[in-house]
Structure formats: C-alpha cells, structure tokens
C-alpha cells in the first residue's frame, strides 16, 4: 500500500529529539533516517552495533527485533545500553505477540499464516510481559507507548497515563489490510468492548509498542499523540498532550495555513464570549490540559443513563442556548450561503426558517467541549465556513454523537430538535465539506479494509454450504454405486445360473445323441451361405 509509506516516519516524528542530540540508528530504514535528520544533523547509521565505539544520546531500534533470535535481542539491548551517554535512551519499536490485529486474523508477515503469532512460539515477536522481563533483567527503566494501527503506520499513540476510551478509539483507530488478508472481526469494535470492560487490559492487546528505555527514569511527560493521516496533506496536524499542556503542530509545511485558520477560529470564539482553550505562538497551538474534566458527550450519556432520552435532549438544548446561540445571527439570509458554495439544493421556504451565522464554527460538537466545575470549555476547533445555519452545527453535534446514536434512533432525535426536515440536505452538505478535508485515497484504503472484516466468516459459511452440497452429492453417488453393485451381483448370479444350465445340457444323454445331427445341420448352413 504505497499511499501509506509516507506515514512510516510518524513513529519517530513526534519524539522531541533536539538539534544538539547525537543519534545512532541501528538498521537501514530510510523513512526513519529522513525524519531523524530533520531533527538533528548528528545521526549515524550502523548494521553492526558492536563495531561502534562512540556513545550517543539516542539509539533507535525500530523494527530491529524481527530478524533476531531471543538471545540476539538480549545481546543487542545490552550492547546498546553500553553505547548510551549517561542520560541516553534507547527508542525501541516492536510488534506485540498478542496484538488485537493478530487475533482478528492479520498475519505477522507475508510468509506467515493467520494466528501464527498467537499459537506458535516466535522468539522475535514478544509479548508485553516478555519485553518487560528482558528490560528488567538488564536493570533498565522503561516507559511504554501504544501506537495504532501499529508502529509502522501510526495515527494515534496512547500511554498508560492516557489509555483509550470509546470516543477516541472510535475516531482514531484505522484498519489497513492487504488484498490477501482477511479479518474475522473489527479491531475497533473489539477495542471498544475491551476498554469499556477494563481499560487496563488494553496494553496487553495493543498492536505494537514504542518504548523509551534508559538507565534512569528521565522520560518525556508525553501522555498522548495523534496524527490525522486520513486528511489531505494541507489539513494534517499533529497533536501532543503533555502533563499540563496540549500542543498542535502542522505536520508539514503545507499545513501551516491550517494552524493559522485554527488561530483565527480561537479569536472569533473569544469575540463571541465563548470560553475557548488555546492560543497561538510560532505556528503552534497551545492550550491548558484540563485535569478532572469530563467531555460534554460523556456528561450527556450520564444524563441519558440516569434519566432517559428526554433529560438528555434538554441538556442538548441547553448546549445550544449556552454555546451555539452566542454566535451572531444574520438578520437577512446571506446572498451566498454555505449551500450555494457547495452546490447543495434547499428550497427557499426551508432556508427562510434557518438562522444563519457568518461565523460557522463547525467543530462546536459535544466531544470538543469539556466540563469542569459546571463550566463549559471549548477546544480543538479546526473547521470554519461562512454563512452557516446554526441548525447545521447542531445537526453535526448529533451526527457525531456516536454513543447516543448506538442506543437511540437518530431520526427520533432530529425530530425533537426540529431538524428532521433538513436531515437530507444537511447530510449532503456534510459529505461535500468532508470531501474537502479527507484524502480520498487513504480513506478508501481504510474503508475497503473495513469491508473485508468478516470476509473469512463469509468464506467459511460459503465453503460450508458448498461442502454440504458436495456431501449430499457423495451420498447420492454412494446410493447409485450401491444400486449398480447390487445389479452386478444379480447379473453375476444370472450368469452363474446360465452356466450351470449349459453345463447340465452338455452333459445330458439327449445332447450327446443329437451331436451328429447338429454337425450335418452346421454343414448345410455353411453350404447355403456360399
């Protein structure tokens, strides 16, 4: 999947290596090397760590274990430790033996069969407890990160301080599998069930690991990293959550303009007296990380679970009054609205009933609103359109409220909120806006992989059906063979009877007496033929 190759750098691009740091890369990896050279000019590459005499601030072992035996892995880690400066670190990326994707049917490599990682002993594919034990036996300290879909193509990275929940798993976990691979179930759905039951189980089933390893505990305070690889290049940003702060960076030069758009949205929301987290400095969005805050969608689900849908809908209307209605409303319908911009048909009568705002901040959704001490804080606002109906922003709130949609009919919700008549044109509008955001090639790869989920089950069911038909045919053929066998036995019995009769006739006195007459008759018949 060539479209994904550019994201191989993601596993290292977020890590804060400084210009003055010295780095040794073990093993050839052009994508990692290119990214390292953007961070520091002091990078060396080696295939044989034992030949190196210098010491380094960082030694990278990205996918290095996969060609080694267990003893070679231990030796490599010990050797790398001896090549570190006093506060140096090994940056290690590796597959997980018990990755969720392997349970789903993904293969550890092209030569392997499905489930090999799980049911076979593989020295170079280690589990969470195995790699921890090796590091501890070497008296090394470590911090684990959990990249998804995996370390080779990374879209999100969790840590033990920031484990996934249903919302960010739903939004961030992508699936990519080759044409010859078949998945038994959706990794995302399985992870959602897992974290709902017990978040602490997630590390065991993480698809891969990125590990900071050092002689002391001088680890980064990074809790969470996310990319946006399904977007067009100019829209891709990188989000890093540290202990107290959240930072958003342009993932490439083309995306700097997108950071500037976010800065403008923050300015607009401040003007509208909407409490928003974030400020801009040197093309970086920075905001406070609110501890002990709860997202508004989680709060809404609490109301739903405790008091039912009506209570939840009342709180949604409160959100509309307290947040959405602070956006200034145009007195007259603008000459060119978002419907004209995206060529979406809507009747003049319907349009008259809508309330248009010049400041169409589209990301005012429940997931992007935090609640702390009964105060609402808006954050993560990326998308903006001019002359947008307030009703469309509310529609998006419902559209992306996955947890409620899983338990209630969306049409019922839209009807209560007086959005039912606009559902079709709003849906078309959202699709067209998304087409400007999303990289179609990357998204289609994800969607095609999702559609392959369950293919094995369907193939098995099809094979079982065909096997059933074959078995029925075999039984029918057995019956026919049995009938033919019986008929052959009957014919054999008849032939034996005829043979016995002939033998009796030839041995009889009358047969012997008439022998001369039969001889004369044969001669006469022979003469007539001539």
């Amino acid at each position: 999947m060539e479209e994904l190759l550019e994201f191989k750098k993601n596993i290292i691009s977020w890590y804060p290596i400084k210009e003055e740091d010295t780095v040794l890369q073990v093993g050839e990896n052009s994508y990692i090397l290119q990214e390292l050279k953007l961070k520091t000019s002091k990078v060396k590459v080696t295939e044989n760590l034992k030949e190196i005499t210098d010491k380094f601030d960082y030694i990278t072992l990205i996918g290095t274990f996969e060609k080694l035996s267990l003893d070679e892995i231990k030796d490599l880690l010990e050797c790398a430790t001896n090549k570190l400066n006093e506060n140096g670190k090994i940056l290690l990326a590796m597959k997980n033996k018990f990755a969720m994707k392997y349970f789903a049917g993904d293969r550890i490599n092209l030569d392997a069969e499905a489930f090999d990682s799980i049911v076979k002993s593989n020295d170079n594919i280690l589990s969470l407890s195995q790699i921890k034990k090796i590091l501890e036996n070497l008296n090394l300290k470590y911090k684990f990160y959990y990249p998804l879909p995996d370390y080779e193509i990374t879209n999100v990275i969790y840590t033990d301080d920031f484990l996934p929940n249903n919302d960010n798993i739903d939004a961030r976990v992508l699936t990519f599998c080759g044409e010859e691979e078949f998945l038994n179930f959706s990794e995302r759905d399985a992870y959602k069930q897992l974290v709902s039951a017990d978040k602490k189980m997630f590390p065991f089933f993480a698809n891969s690991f990125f590990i900071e390893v050092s002689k002391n505990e001088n680890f980064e305070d990074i809790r969470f990293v996310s990319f946006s690889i399904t977007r067009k290049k100019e829209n891709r940003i990188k989000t890093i959550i540290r202990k107290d702060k959240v930072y958003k960076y342009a993932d490439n030069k083309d995306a700097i303009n997108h950071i500037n758009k976010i800065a403008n949205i923050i300015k607009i929301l401040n003007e509208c007296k909407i409490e928003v987290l974030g400020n801009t400095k040197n093309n970086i969005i920075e905001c406070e990380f609110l501890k002990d805050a709860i997202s508004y969608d989680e709060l809404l689900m609490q109301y739903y679970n405790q008091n039912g849908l009506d209570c939840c809908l009342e709180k949604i209307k409160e959100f509309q009054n307290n947040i959405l209605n602070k956006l200034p409303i145009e007195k007259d319908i603008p000459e060119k609205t978002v419907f004209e911009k995206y060529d979406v048909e809507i009747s003049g009568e319907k349009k008259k009933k809508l309330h248009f705002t010049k400041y169409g901040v589209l990301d005012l959704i429940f997931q992007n609103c935090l609640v702390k001490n009964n105060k609402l804080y808006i954050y993560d606002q990326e998308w903006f359109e001019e002359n947008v109906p307030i009703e469309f922003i509310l529609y998006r709130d419902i559209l992306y409220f996955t947890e409620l949609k899983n338990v209630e009919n969306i049409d019922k919700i839209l009807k209560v909120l007086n959005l039912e008549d606009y559902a079709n044109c709003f849906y078309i509008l959202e699709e067209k806006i998304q087409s400007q955001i999303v990289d179609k090639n990357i998204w289609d790869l994800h969607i095609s992989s999702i559609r392959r989920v369950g293919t094995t089950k369907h193939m098995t069911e099809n094979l079982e059906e065909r096997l059933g038909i074959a078995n029925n045919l075999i039984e029918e053929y057995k019956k026919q063979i049995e009938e033919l066998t019986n008929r052959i036995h009957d014919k054999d019995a008849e032939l034996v009877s005829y043979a016995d009769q002939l033998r009796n006739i030839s041995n009889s006195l009358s047969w012997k007496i008439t022998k001369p007459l039969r001889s004369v008759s044969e001669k006469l018949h022979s003469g007539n033929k001539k």
Side-chain angles (χ1 to χ4, degrees):
M1 293 181 278
E2 293 184 4
E3 296 91 337
L4 301 176
L5 292 179
E6 64 177 298
F7 305 121
K8 285 183 173 291
K9 66 179 177 60
N10 285 6
I11 193 60
I12 201 70
S13 68
W14 59 278
Y15 196 86
I17 295 173
K18 304 181 186 69
E19 171 58 35
E20 63 269 21
D21 290 331
T22 56
V23 180
L24 177 65
Q25 176 180 308
V26 179
E28 288 291 337
N29 189 319
S30 59
Y31 301 98
I32 299 300
L33 180 60
Q34 181 181 1
E35 190 63 26
L36 289 173
K37 286 183 174 180
L38 293 176
K39 296 174 180 291
T40 174
S41 58
K42 302 173 182 179
V43 182
K44 288 186 177 181
V45 181
T46 184
E47 290 288 346
N48 189 346
L49 186 57
K50 292 182 179 180
E51 294 179 351
I52 301 297
T53 57
D54 297 331
K55 294 200 172 186
F56 299 86
D57 297 310
Y58 293 99
I59 296 177
T60 64
L61 304 176
I62 309 298
T64 314
F65 288 1
E66 293 164 25
K67 300 176 183 179
L68 305 178
S69 68
L70 185 58
D71 287 337
E72 288 172 332
I73 289 172
K74 293 175 181 178
D75 290 343
L76 178 63
L77 285 170
E78 186 173 11
C79 184
T81 303
N82 294 329
K83 308 293 183 183
L84 291 175
N85 289 328
E86 183 179 353
N87 292 315
K89 298 178 191 175
I90 299 170
L91 301 181
L92 165 63
M94 57 181 283
K95 297 176 179 179
N96 175 16
K97 176 178 177 63
F98 296 116
M100 184 68 79
K101 66 178 183 177
Y102 298 145
F103 281 94
D106 202 351
R107 297 177 294 169
I108 53 176
N109 56 56
L110 294 178
D111 297 324
E113 297 293 333
F115 313 114
D116 273 2
S117 170
I118 298 163
V119 301
K120 293 183 178 180
S121 176
N122 299 283
D123 284 351
N124 52 7
I125 307 293
L126 305 177
S127 68
L128 181 69
S129 59
Q130 285 175 313
I131 185 60
K132 281 184 176 182
K133 185 176 181 180
I134 291 172
L135 295 173
E136 288 165 2
N137 287 342
L138 292 170
N139 294 317
L140 293 171
K141 310 298 181 184
Y142 51 79
K143 178 181 177 181
F144 274 74
Y145 299 80
Y146 310 106
L148 291 176
D150 54 35
Y151 79 82
E152 293 179 294
I153 306 296
T154 302
N155 191 51
V156 62
I157 302 174
Y158 297 101
T159 66
D160 292 308
D161 294 324
F162 198 109
L163 291 171
N165 58 35
N166 275 340
D167 283 340
N168 53 47
I169 276 285
D170 200 50
R172 297 293 182 181
V173 175
L174 302 172
T175 299
F176 298 110
C177 68
E179 292 183 359
E180 296 182 359
E181 294 173 309
F182 303 97
L183 302 180
N184 294 307
F185 58 80
S186 163
E187 291 174 47
R188 178 167 54 185
D189 291 345
Y191 275 133
K192 286 175 70 175
Q193 292 299 315
L194 180 71
V195 300
S196 294
D198 185 357
K199 281 186 181 183
K200 293 181 181 179
M201 288 294 294
F202 172 78
F204 181 85
F205 292 98
N207 280 344
S208 58
F209 307 128
F210 180 92
I211 316 171
E212 275 184 292
V213 181
S214 71
K215 300 171 188 176
N216 49 56
E217 296 185 356
N218 59 323
F219 303 125
E220 295 295 329
D221 66 348
I222 294 173
R223 299 157 58 93
F224 173 83
V225 181
S226 71
F227 299 88
S228 41
I229 67 175
T230 58
R231 295 182 186 175
K232 293 181 178 179
K233 189 174 182 179
E234 63 270 22
N235 296 324
R236 291 176 193 159
I237 62 172
K238 177 170 53 189
T239 301
I240 297 178
I241 299 179
R242 289 183 174 270
K243 184 177 180 181
D244 300 310
K245 297 285 185 179
V246 180
Y247 301 90
K248 288 185 178 292
Y249 306 85
D251 201 33
N252 55 74
K253 291 181 179 179
D254 294 340
I256 292 175
N257 187 48
H258 187 57
I259 292 292
N260 294 330
K261 289 179 180 179
I262 296 173
N264 187 56
I265 293 173
I266 292 173
K267 181 181 177 181
I268 287 172
L269 291 174
N270 281 325
E271 290 175 358
C272 295
K273 308 299 181 185
I274 296 175
E275 191 75 36
V276 58
L277 300 173
N279 55 73
T280 313
K281 185 178 180 181
N282 299 326
N283 293 322
I284 300 171
I285 304 295
E286 176 186 331
C287 72
E288 178 186 359
F289 179 73
L290 282 186
K291 297 177 182 178
D292 303 320
I294 183 173
S295 64
Y296 201 77
D297 61 319
E298 289 181 88
L299 185 63
L300 287 172
M301 286 309 297
Q302 288 181 11
Y303 284 118
Y304 175 83
N305 291 327
Q306 293 169 9
N307 303 302
L309 180 61
D310 290 342
C311 179
C312 178
L313 292 174
E314 284 302 314
K315 295 300 177 181
I316 290 175
K317 291 175 182 177
E318 284 183 18
F319 181 86
Q320 181 179 5
N321 292 330
N322 295 332
I323 301 295
L324 302 187
N325 289 347
K326 286 186 178 180
L327 299 173
I329 304 300
E330 298 293 308
K331 291 182 179 179
D332 300 313
I333 299 176
E335 183 176 340
K336 185 177 181 180
T337 72
V338 70
F339 296 109
E340 283 74 38
K341 177 180 177 179
Y342 287 98
D343 193 25
V344 176
E345 291 186 10
I346 181 173
S347 68
E349 183 180 350
K350 284 186 177 180
K351 192 188 290 187
K352 287 178 182 178
K353 296 178 182 179
L354 296 174
H355 302 83
F356 287 87
T357 177
K358 183 179 180 180
Y359 299 142
V361 182
L362 302 182
D363 260 354
L364 289 172
I365 59 177
F366 306 136
Q367 292 93 326
N368 293 344
C369 176
L370 295 173
V371 183
K372 185 174 182 179
N373 298 328
N374 295 320
K375 188 174 182 180
L376 302 183
Y377 298 88
I378 299 298
Y379 73 104
D380 203 16
Q381 300 298 300
E382 295 191 53
W383 311 111
F384 178 90
E385 294 284 350
E386 288 189 347
N387 301 326
V388 172
I390 294 291
E391 291 83 356
F392 177 64
I393 302 175
L394 182 60
Y395 168 82
R396 295 185 86 251
D397 289 339
I398 305 304
L399 184 65
Y400 293 104
F401 193 178
T402 306
E403 291 302 302
L404 185 61
K405 284 167 55 182
N406 286 340
V407 292
E408 290 287 349
N409 184 286
I410 187 173
D411 294 331
K412 179 180 177 181
I413 299 169
L414 294 177
K415 185 174 182 179
V416 174
L417 297 173
N418 298 316
L419 299 174
E420 184 181 31
D421 292 341
Y422 298 92
N424 186 53
C425 65
F426 282 174
Y427 177 82
I428 295 171
L429 177 58
E430 176 64 16
E431 288 289 297
K432 293 196 173 186
I433 290 174
Q434 287 298 322
S435 70
Q436 301 302 306
I437 297 171
V438 172
D439 184 311
K440 187 177 185 300
N441 291 332
I442 305 298
W443 185 251
D444 285 350
L445 279 176
H446 167 60
I447 294 301
S448 65
S449 297
I450 289 293
R451 287 172 179 163
R452 294 175 71 80
V453 169
T455 304
T456 306
K457 179 182 177 182
H458 297 319
M459 290 178 63
T460 303
E461 290 174 348
N462 187 35
L463 287 172
E464 287 176 350
E465 181 181 351
R466 293 168 64 183
L467 182 61
I469 294 172
N471 285 334
N472 291 336
L473 288 172
I474 289 171
E475 291 300 320
E476 184 65 30
Y477 291 148
K478 283 182 177 179
K479 290 179 181 178
Q480 293 181 20
I481 291 171
E482 186 177 353
E483 289 177 2
L484 289 171
T485 302
N486 292 334
R487 290 174 64 183
I488 290 171
H489 287 160
D490 293 342
K491 292 297 181 183
D492 286 344
E494 288 181 23
L495 289 174
V496 170
S497 176
Y498 292 150
D500 290 341
Q501 292 178 34
L502 288 173
R503 195 179 304 111
N504 292 332
I505 292 172
S506 62
N507 292 328
S508 67
L509 180 62
S510 59
W511 182 261
K512 293 177 180 178
I513 294 172
T514 58
K515 183 175 180 182
L517 294 175
R518 290 199 304 274
S519 177
V520 172
S521 176
E522 287 176 0
K523 288 180 180 180
L524 290 174
H525 283 295
S526 175
N528 290 336
K529 286 180 180 178
K530 291 179 180 181

